[in-house]
Amino acid sequence: MLGITMDFASPGGTIEISRALYSQHWHDDQVNRVWVRTRVGTERAAVRAAIVHDLGHKYTLHIFSSGDMVDYWVAQIRRGFAGVDVLRAVVFLVMLLGVADTLASGVVQRTRELGVARAVGVRRWQLKRMVLVEALVMGTLGLVLGSAVGIALGALWVLWTFPYLLGYVLDFHVPYAELGIVALMTAMVCAIAAVLPARGVARLEPAAALRYE
C-alpha cells in the first residue's frame, strides 16, 4: 500500500495500492476506472483520440478529464438549486408588498399624529424622509435576521447535511459579494415600497388630518 489521498473521485479518500497486491488479496483482476497522467504540454484531445482508437473497438469507454468530472458535478449541483432564483424573486415580491402594506397601514393609523406634525411646522419632505427611513430600518432588520439564519442554515447544510447524504466534505465560504448585492436589492425594494406611502403622507392636509378618527 502506498498511501491514502483525498481527491474528488472519492469522498473518503483514495487508497493507492499496487495492482498485483490488490489481485493477490482480493482475487479481482477487473478494471472499471483508469486514471491517465499525461506529460506537461500533452494535448488532451490527442490522448483521448489515441485511447479511443486503440481500445474503443473492444471496450465501452467513457473518457473524462478531471476538469470534466468537476464541471459535471458542479452543473448537477447548480441544476438542483436552479429553483432558488425563482424563490428569490418571490421573496423580493413578498417583501415589496409587505413593506408597502405595513407603511401604508402605519400612515393611516397615525393620520392624526402626522396632522399634528404638519400643523406645528414639519415639512412635507421631512415626512417623506421619515417614511423612507422606516422602510430602510425594516429592510435592514429583515436583512440582518435573514442573513444570520441563512448563513446558519448554509453552514448546517454544507458542513453536516451534505457530507452525511453524499459523503463529500466541502469547504464553507460566506458569499460576501452576493450578500452585498442582496443588501443593495433590499434597499432598492424598500425604497420602492415607500414611494406610495410617502406620497400619501406628503398629501396630508393638517386640518383634514386633525379631524380624522
Side-chain angles (χ1 to χ4, degrees):
M1 183 180 297
L2 300 178
I4 301 177
T5 59
M6 295 296 295
D7 59 25
F8 194 79
S10 173
T14 299
I15 300 176
E16 300 180 4
I17 188 173
S18 69
R19 183 66 187 165
L21 183 60
Y22 178 80
S23 299
Q24 176 184 348
H25 289 279
W26 282 274
H27 308 290
D28 181 9
D29 57 358
Q30 297 183 3
V31 176
N32 57 14
R33 182 181 299 171
V34 176
W35 292 96
V36 179
R37 291 182 178 272
T38 60
R39 294 179 180 178
V40 178
T42 304
E43 292 291 338
R44 293 182 180 178
V47 175
R48 187 190 302 264
I51 294 174
V52 172
H53 179 269
D54 294 339
L55 302 174
H57 63 282
K58 186 176 181 180
Y59 303 101
T60 302
L61 302 177
H62 300 279
I63 304 175
F64 301 98
S65 67
S66 57
D68 292 337
M69 293 184 62
V70 172
D71 292 340
Y72 171 78
W73 288 111
V74 169
Q76 294 303 310
I77 293 174
R78 289 179 176 174
R79 181 180 178 184
F81 286 93
V84 173
D85 293 334
V86 177
L87 294 177
R88 185 181 304 169
V90 172
V91 167
F92 277 111
L93 177 61
V94 172
M95 182 175 67
L96 174 64
L97 297 177
V99 172
D101 180 69
T102 301
L103 293 175
S105 300
V107 169
V108 172
Q109 293 174 0
R110 293 178 297 170
T111 298
R112 289 180 61 86
E113 290 82 353
L114 295 173
V116 172
R118 289 282 292 120
V120 298
V122 177
R123 299 183 180 276
R124 298 180 188 273
W125 67 267
Q126 291 175 319
L127 293 180
K128 285 184 177 181
R129 185 177 63 180
M130 179 190 70
V131 174
L132 178 60
V133 169
E134 288 182 1
L136 293 178
V137 169
M138 292 173 57
T140 300
L141 291 176
L143 179 64
V144 171
L145 293 176
S147 298
V149 174
I151 291 174
L153 291 177
L156 176 65
W157 175 261
V158 172
L159 299 179
W160 287 282
T161 305
F162 197 81
Y164 176 77
L165 293 177
L166 300 180
Y168 287 99
V169 178
L170 303 178
D171 294 329
F172 178 70
H173 299 281
V174 178
Y176 294 105
E178 285 76 7
L179 284 178
I181 295 174
V182 170
L184 180 61
M185 293 180 65
T186 300
M188 293 176 58
V189 169
C190 291
I192 294 173
V195 170
L196 292 180
R199 287 182 177 179
V201 168
R203 288 196 297 265
L204 281 177
E205 293 296 335
L210 291 174
R211 292 194 300 268
Y212 181 83
E213 295 182 0

